[in-house]
mmCIF file with all atom_site columns, all heavy atoms in Angstrom:
data_model
loop_
_atom_site.group_PDB
_atom_site.id
_atom_site.type_symbol
_atom_site.label_atom_id
_atom_site.label_alt_id
_atom_site.label_comp_id
_atom_site.label_asym_id
_atom_site.label_entity_id
_atom_site.label_seq_id
_atom_site.pdbx_PDB_ins_code
_atom_site.Cartn_x
_atom_site.Cartn_y
_atom_site.Cartn_z
_atom_site.occupancy
_atom_site.B_iso_or_equiv
_atom_site.pdbx_formal_charge
_atom_site.auth_seq_id
_atom_site.auth_comp_id
_atom_site.auth_asym_id
_atom_site.auth_atom_id
_atom_site.pdbx_PDB_model_num
ATOM 1  N N   . VAL Y 1 13 ? 88.739  120.511 92.797 1.00 93.00 ? 139 VAL Y N   1
ATOM 2  C CA  . VAL Y 1 13 ? 89.034  120.051 91.444 1.00 93.00 ? 139 VAL Y CA  1
ATOM 3  C C   . VAL Y 1 13 ? 88.335  121.001 90.477 1.00 93.00 ? 139 VAL Y C   1
ATOM 4  O O   . VAL Y 1 13 ? 87.139  121.266 90.598 1.00 93.00 ? 139 VAL Y O   1
ATOM 5  C CB  . VAL Y 1 13 ? 88.543  118.608 91.215 1.00 93.00 ? 139 VAL Y CB  1
ATOM 6  C CG1 . VAL Y 1 13 ? 88.817  118.175 89.777 1.00 93.00 ? 139 VAL Y CG1 1
ATOM 7  C CG2 . VAL Y 1 13 ? 89.200  117.658 92.204 1.00 93.00 ? 139 VAL Y CG2 1
ATOM 8  N N   . PHE Y 1 14 ? 89.108  121.512 89.538 1.00 91.00 ? 140 PHE Y N   1
ATOM 9  C CA  . PHE Y 1 14 ? 88.614  122.434 88.529 1.00 91.00 ? 140 PHE Y CA  1
ATOM 10 C C   . PHE Y 1 14 ? 88.658  121.733 87.180 1.00 91.00 ? 140 PHE Y C   1
ATOM 11 O O   . PHE Y 1 14 ? 89.648  121.097 86.834 1.00 91.00 ? 140 PHE Y O   1
ATOM 12 C CB  . PHE Y 1 14 ? 89.503  123.683 88.498 1.00 91.00 ? 140 PHE Y CB  1
ATOM 13 C CG  . PHE Y 1 14 ? 89.329  124.533 87.267 1.00 91.00 ? 140 PHE Y CG  1
ATOM 14 C CD1 . PHE Y 1 14 ? 88.202  125.331 87.118 1.00 91.00 ? 140 PHE Y CD1 1
ATOM 15 C CD2 . PHE Y 1 14 ? 90.282  124.535 86.265 1.00 91.00 ? 140 PHE Y CD2 1
ATOM 16 C CE1 . PHE Y 1 14 ? 88.031  126.113 85.987 1.00 91.00 ? 140 PHE Y CE1 1
ATOM 17 C CE2 . PHE Y 1 14 ? 90.126  125.323 85.138 1.00 91.00 ? 140 PHE Y CE2 1
ATOM 18 C CZ  . PHE Y 1 14 ? 88.996  126.107 84.994 1.00 91.00 ? 140 PHE Y CZ  1
ATOM 19 N N   . ALA Y 1 22 ? 91.469  118.937 83.583 1.00 88.00 ? 148 ALA Y N   1
ATOM 20 C CA  . ALA Y 1 22 ? 91.082  118.923 84.993 1.00 88.00 ? 148 ALA Y CA  1
ATOM 21 C C   . ALA Y 1 22 ? 92.340  119.101 85.836 1.00 88.00 ? 148 ALA Y C   1
ATOM 22 O O   . ALA Y 1 22 ? 93.386  118.523 85.534 1.00 88.00 ? 148 ALA Y O   1
ATOM 23 C CB  . ALA Y 1 22 ? 90.396  117.614 85.349 1.00 88.00 ? 148 ALA Y CB  1
ATOM 24 N N   . LEU Y 1 23 ? 92.227  119.916 86.869 1.00 92.00 ? 149 LEU Y N   1
ATOM 25 C CA  . LEU Y 1 23 ? 93.339  120.169 87.771 1.00 92.00 ? 149 LEU Y CA  1
ATOM 26 C C   . LEU Y 1 23 ? 92.842  120.057 89.203 1.00 92.00 ? 149 LEU Y C   1
ATOM 27 O O   . LEU Y 1 23 ? 91.721  120.444 89.506 1.00 92.00 ? 149 LEU Y O   1
ATOM 28 C CB  . LEU Y 1 23 ? 93.902  121.573 87.535 1.00 92.00 ? 149 LEU Y CB  1
ATOM 29 C CG  . LEU Y 1 23 ? 94.454  121.812 86.131 1.00 92.00 ? 149 LEU Y CG  1
ATOM 30 C CD1 . LEU Y 1 23 ? 94.531  123.299 85.838 1.00 92.00 ? 149 LEU Y CD1 1
ATOM 31 C CD2 . LEU Y 1 23 ? 95.809  121.184 86.009 1.00 92.00 ? 149 LEU Y CD2 1
ATOM 32 N N   . ALA Y 1 24 ? 93.695  119.536 90.067 1.00 94.00 ? 150 ALA Y N   1
ATOM 33 C CA  . ALA Y 1 24 ? 93.336  119.374 91.474 1.00 94.00 ? 150 ALA Y CA  1
ATOM 34 C C   . ALA Y 1 24 ? 94.351  120.107 92.339 1.00 94.00 ? 150 ALA Y C   1
ATOM 35 O O   . ALA Y 1 24 ? 95.559  120.048 92.088 1.00 94.00 ? 150 ALA Y O   1
ATOM 36 C CB  . ALA Y 1 24 ? 93.303  117.891 91.845 1.00 94.00 ? 150 ALA Y CB  1
ATOM 37 N N   . PHE Y 1 59 ? 94.251  127.567 86.503 1.00 91.00 ? 185 PHE Y N   1
ATOM 38 C CA  . PHE Y 1 59 ? 95.232  126.651 85.920 1.00 91.00 ? 185 PHE Y CA  1
ATOM 39 C C   . PHE Y 1 59 ? 96.534  126.560 86.697 1.00 91.00 ? 185 PHE Y C   1
ATOM 40 O O   . PHE Y 1 59 ? 97.301  125.627 86.506 1.00 91.00 ? 185 PHE Y O   1
ATOM 41 C CB  . PHE Y 1 59 ? 95.535  127.037 84.467 1.00 91.00 ? 185 PHE Y CB  1
ATOM 42 C CG  . PHE Y 1 59 ? 94.467  126.599 83.514 1.00 91.00 ? 185 PHE Y CG  1
ATOM 43 C CD1 . PHE Y 1 59 ? 93.484  127.481 83.119 1.00 91.00 ? 185 PHE Y CD1 1
ATOM 44 C CD2 . PHE Y 1 59 ? 94.429  125.300 83.032 1.00 91.00 ? 185 PHE Y CD2 1
ATOM 45 C CE1 . PHE Y 1 59 ? 92.482  127.079 82.258 1.00 91.00 ? 185 PHE Y CE1 1
ATOM 46 C CE2 . PHE Y 1 59 ? 93.429  124.886 82.177 1.00 91.00 ? 185 PHE Y CE2 1
ATOM 47 C CZ  . PHE Y 1 59 ? 92.455  125.777 81.780 1.00 91.00 ? 185 PHE Y CZ  1
ATOM 48 N N   . ARG Y 1 75 ? 99.498  121.911 94.195 1.00 95.00 ? 201 ARG Y N   1
ATOM 49 C CA  . ARG Y 1 75 ? 98.994  121.107 93.072 1.00 95.00 ? 201 ARG Y CA  1
ATOM 50 C C   . ARG Y 1 75 ? 99.021  119.640 93.483 1.00 95.00 ? 201 ARG Y C   1
ATOM 51 O O   . ARG Y 1 75 ? 100.017 119.138 93.987 1.00 95.00 ? 201 ARG Y O   1
ATOM 52 C CB  . ARG Y 1 75 ? 99.874  121.344 91.847 1.00 95.00 ? 201 ARG Y CB  1
ATOM 53 C CG  . ARG Y 1 75 ? 99.487  120.570 90.630 1.00 95.00 ? 201 ARG Y CG  1
ATOM 54 C CD  . ARG Y 1 75 ? 98.408  121.324 89.836 1.00 95.00 ? 201 ARG Y CD  1
ATOM 55 N NE  . ARG Y 1 75 ? 98.074  120.619 88.649 1.00 95.00 ? 201 ARG Y NE  1
ATOM 56 C CZ  . ARG Y 1 75 ? 98.605  120.840 87.456 1.00 95.00 ? 201 ARG Y CZ  1
ATOM 57 N NH1 . ARG Y 1 75 ? 99.505  121.778 87.318 1.00 95.00 ? 201 ARG Y NH1 1
ATOM 58 N NH2 . ARG Y 1 75 ? 98.234  120.136 86.425 1.00 95.00 ? 201 ARG Y NH2 1
#
Side-chain angles (χ1 to χ4, degrees):
V139 178
F140 164 75
L149 299 160
F185 282 97
R201 179 86 178 265

